[in-house]
Amino acid sequence: MNNGGLEAAVAPAGGPQPLEWKFSQVFGERTAGEEIQEVDIISAIEFNRTGDHLATGDRGGRVVLFERTDTRDHVGHRRDLEKMDYPMNRHPVFRYKTEFQSHEPEFDYLKSLEIEEKINKIRWCQSANGALSLLSTNDKTIKFWKVQEKKVKKVCSMNVDSTKAMGNGPMVGSSISTNSRQYIANGGCTSNDFSFPSGGFQSLHLPVVTSHETNLMARCRRIFGHAHDYHINSISNNSDGETFISADDLRINLWNLETNSQSFNIVDVKPANMEDLTEVITSAEFHRTHCNMLAYSSSKGLVRLIDMRQSALCDRHSKLFVEHEAPGSRSFFTDIIASISDIKFSKDGRHMLSRDYLTLKLWDMNMDSGPVKTFQVHEYLRPKLCDLYENDSIFDKFECCLSGDGLRVATGSYSNLFRVFGCSEGSKEATTLEATKTPMRRQGLTSSRPLRSLGSSLGVVRRVKGADTSTLDPNGNTFDFATKLLHLAWHPTENSLACAASNSLYMYYA
């Protein structure tokens, strides 16, 4: 299959060997029988550009930050590390850094609408002066946060007699004076019998301000609100470091990080008559290197690439990425499972990854006639689409991610499973892992061959009364639709994955 010019470090013929994934860490691991609180379920996850920090958001409106520790503990020149025989291929190790309450539940009195505090997306911004900056959003409001260390300052070595009290209280470490003279603020005295000694004060010196400890402080710098009538599903930073976009079902707005008083509507798909509405925006992402280009996906399975230089309102796309369906394959569920839940650009900006309900598609930005590769994530669920529709699982929104070198892609599935595919020429890699401490135990699940019933092949939905509605994978394992791995992120420079399984954050390396 033609890879459309996939040029990221192509390995010898046959493709690179599949990675062997190992468990690294888990945060928030629940014990057997422990009840999960709804507010603790992770709803967003994101590495920063260097991979030294990781942020997660949950349904309770909290943002939790983790920092990498293995690089800090072994700082030194490569040659010095080689002399110490220290392994250079160590895997990332993170620790808890801090957390803060980003959003609170609100109520829109004009629309009689409750606004959840759930964090929908997190995006890191460029850091400055040692401070960490990030954007977080719920359904209606985007907030720009700055997290930095603040030193706790104290004044000591003051030139005051410790036996005397100041007007505003005793000195630290001293007892209250019993002297009958009255002292006022700043050390003055109300009596007139005070005089300087003839030799002056031998120990006269200035107070010293010392910093004994540092505390992490999270401060909300700006609030970007009142710009979306519908729920925000995406935010994305521009490569210029100054602007970002926010997208809801019908509009995409352009913001400047320094100005929260106005935004510019650059995409508007709302029809004059809402009865004519046929598709909605599902995801939007800025190009990684070209600040004038962005892509957005729709519920029809389309990805539109737009150039902001063409016009103020980008109502016309530069390119349209779509895979045309085979004749006669259309069914009741075709439009539902074609809806794209997430799109991501590769690090070099040459390729784009999209995720719909059943597949991952890799696109070449120079070829919009069709995807260069299609990966079947859980094709064996196709005969069960009717059951998935009844329990609303067919509307689940899975995220996707690419490795920093562009050789692999990953996405989540049900039963807390996630899949890693090789996308270089000739690669057969299709690994299934489980978000547990033994990720490779479900390794048998590598078949991507569709198990289609006659009914699904003909586009007919048939229900047999009393039939078994349990869903099995090709190896006979039962699928649990209540446990789904929707959110995951790939480390920007190393083969390391962070996965959100309910309220637990699992990390793996290869």
Side-chain angles (χ1 to χ4, degrees), residues 463-475:
R463 297 302 304 274
V464 180
K465 189 174 182 180
D468 182 16
T469 58
S470 63
T471 301
L472 304 177
D473 63 34
N475 297 319

Side-chain angles (χ1 to χ4, degrees), residues 343-375:
I343 56 174
K344 291 287 194 309
F345 282 103
S346 62
K347 191 174 182 179
D348 61 2
R350 174 67 187 274
H351 295 86
M352 179 177 60
L353 185 68
S354 66
R355 170 70 203 263
D356 57 41
Y357 186 68
L358 293 178
T359 66
L360 268 176
K361 293 184 175 70
L362 184 69
W363 304 83
D364 188 322
M365 301 305 297
N366 297 329
M367 188 178 74
D368 54 3
S369 58
V372 294
K373 279 202 172 184
T374 299
F375 308 99

Side-chain angles (χ1 to χ4, degrees), residues 46 57 111 119 123 148 187 223 258 275 317 321 392 414 422 425 456 476 479:
E46 185 82 5
K111 299 181 179 179
I119 304 296
R123 289 293 182 265
Q148 63 184 146
I223 298 177
E258 299 296 326
E275 294 182 357
H317 54 264
F321 299 89
D392 287 340
Y414 293 103
E425 182 68 21
S456 63
F479 261 67

Side-chain angles (χ1 to χ4, degrees), residues 131-145:
L132 300 174
S133 300
L134 55 86
L135 291 166
S136 61
T137 183
N138 64 353
D139 286 339
K140 294 292 184 181
T141 307
I142 307 163
K143 294 186 179 182
F144 181 42
W145 290 91

Side-chain angles (χ1 to χ4, degrees), residues 13 34 112 240-241 255 265 281 397 442 453 459 470 496 501:
E34 179 185 355
S112 297
D240 62 10
W255 302 83
N265 179 225
I281 299 170
K397 306 299 182 184
R442 299 287 288 268
S453 65
S470 63
S496 176

Side-chain angles (χ1 to χ4, degrees), residues 244-290:
F244 71 94
I245 55 171
S246 58
D248 63 21
D249 291 343
L250 298 179
R251 294 187 176 95
I252 299 177
N253 293 332
L254 178 68
W255 302 83
N256 189 293
L257 282 168
E258 299 296 326
T259 306
N260 61 354
S261 59
Q262 64 177 348
S263 64
F264 300 94
N265 179 225
I266 57 175
V267 175
D268 189 347
V269 300
K270 184 178 181 180
N273 185 354
M274 286 297 287
E275 294 182 357
D276 298 330
L277 182 67
T278 58
E279 64 178 331
V280 296
I281 299 170
T282 56
S283 181
E285 189 84 5
F286 258 121
H287 194 274
R288 297 291 293 269
T289 56
H290 299 305

Side-chain angles (χ1 to χ4, degrees), residues 2 55 211 215 226 244 261 287 299 338 366 438 497:
N2 179 22
S211 299
N215 288 338
H226 311 294
F244 71 94
S261 59
H287 194 274
S299 56
N366 297 329
T438 53
L497 277 167

Side-chain angles (χ1 to χ4, degrees), residues 156-172:
C156 61
S157 301
M158 297 183 67
N159 195 81
V160 178
D161 188 346
S162 61
T163 62
K164 299 174 183 178
M166 293 177 61
N168 60 351
M171 289 299 299
V172 176

